[in-house]
Amino acid sequence: MPTTAGAGDLRFSNLHEDILKFQILSKLDGTGLGSAASCSTVLHRLSTNDELWFNICSSNWPSISSSPLLSHFVSSFGPRAFFSNAYPILGGAQYNNSPVKSPPAMLISAVDVFLDGKLLFTRTHETQTATDWFRCSPFRIDLLEPKEVIPMAIRSPEPEKDEDFIDIIIKGMSLSWILINPVDRKVVNLSSHMPLTAERHWLTGEIHVSFSSILAGKSHVMCGINCTCAASEEGEMQVKEVSLEIKDMDGKYLKGKDSLVFLQWALEGKKGTGINRVEEARRRMDEYMERRRWREERMMRVERSLDAFCLATAAIIFIYICYFILKCILG
């Protein structure tokens, strides 16, 4: 009587490997293909095929196939290894005590935005980090030109249906921002994958969608990935901004030199498991906001204590001056 695993191998051995590869395994996504590798020895061997993994990478991130540079990088890096690094969100802690390497001279961003499963926007962007301008200026990557817009193929909602439209954005929009260090061959996905928040600005009417993540080093900073949507004169919704910037716990924007330190830790640090990516990203954001509120409350307590000390000191000085004056007058 054959074991269950042996029976599985026998059944799959009756199918030609091309059928397994191109008709079955090619239909799976990355997590499914990874799980299939543990089902049998045959599937384990077939599921490590680079062509299958490259197609999965290209399907998840069309920016790869649209850029010859990235296609070559993924092929040389190993499509399966690239997926395992780019699919999960960041791990809980990226900082370690190992010596800090020299910062990369260039970083490549591969960005893909989807709406209801349809590709809305894809772009690659190279950031030169060795210039004095980059290191001394606030760190920011803008993917769209000032007057460039991306049509969303949906109309601006009526005021009474605004909440329903926000809900569509929250549930249907996804963004991937893969950061690549091509020299050290490091890859990380900085996005939360799905929106953490989507809010309409009270004055401009623009909808600001946040895909932010938390970078943990010696301190915590917010990697703000923002997508701004606005209505055109014809009433069609458009994407007018896709950007990345980094802020510290006090809400101050980090300069390029300081941002590189956190980005290096993120590139070299541990990745998550890829399970429940959105829930994990929201949990980490909630922890960060709670830590930030606690920090603000502590600073307010310190400021109140300093104010009380200054008032007490001023009162003592005033009383002493009055006493000295009275003493001089009375002889």
Side-chain angles (χ1 to χ4, degrees), residues 214-222 247-249 262 288 291:
I214 304 304
L215 305 184
K218 291 183 178 180
S219 60
H220 290 74
V221 297
M222 179 188 296
K247 295 189 289 186
D248 64 12
M249 292 285 286
F262 286 94
Y288 173 82
R291 190 180 292 110

Side-chain angles (χ1 to χ4, degrees), residues 311-322:
L311 287 174
T313 303
I316 292 173
I317 294 175
F318 177 75
I319 293 173
Y320 178 79
I321 293 175
C322 292

Side-chain angles (χ1 to χ4, degrees), residues 67-126:
S67 169
L69 176 63
L70 280 186
S71 296
H72 175 73
F73 177 83
V74 172
S75 298
S76 60
F77 189 87
R80 185 179 183 183
F82 183 89
F83 182 89
S84 66
N85 281 270
Y87 183 77
I89 64 170
L90 290 168
Q94 292 88 48
Y95 171 73
N96 55 61
N97 293 321
S98 59
V100 179
K101 297 181 180 179
S102 58
M106 180 180 70
L107 293 172
I108 301 176
S109 297
V111 183
D112 300 281
V113 183
F114 290 84
L115 182 62
D116 293 333
K118 298 180 180 179
L119 181 63
L120 188 64
F121 171 76
T122 181
R123 184 156 299 179
T124 58
H125 183 275
E126 297 181 5

Side-chain angles (χ1 to χ4, degrees), residues 299-312:
M299 292 180 65
M300 289 180 64
R301 289 195 297 267
V302 171
E303 289 178 359
R304 286 196 294 266
S305 299
L306 287 174
D307 290 342
F309 175 78
C310 291
L311 287 174

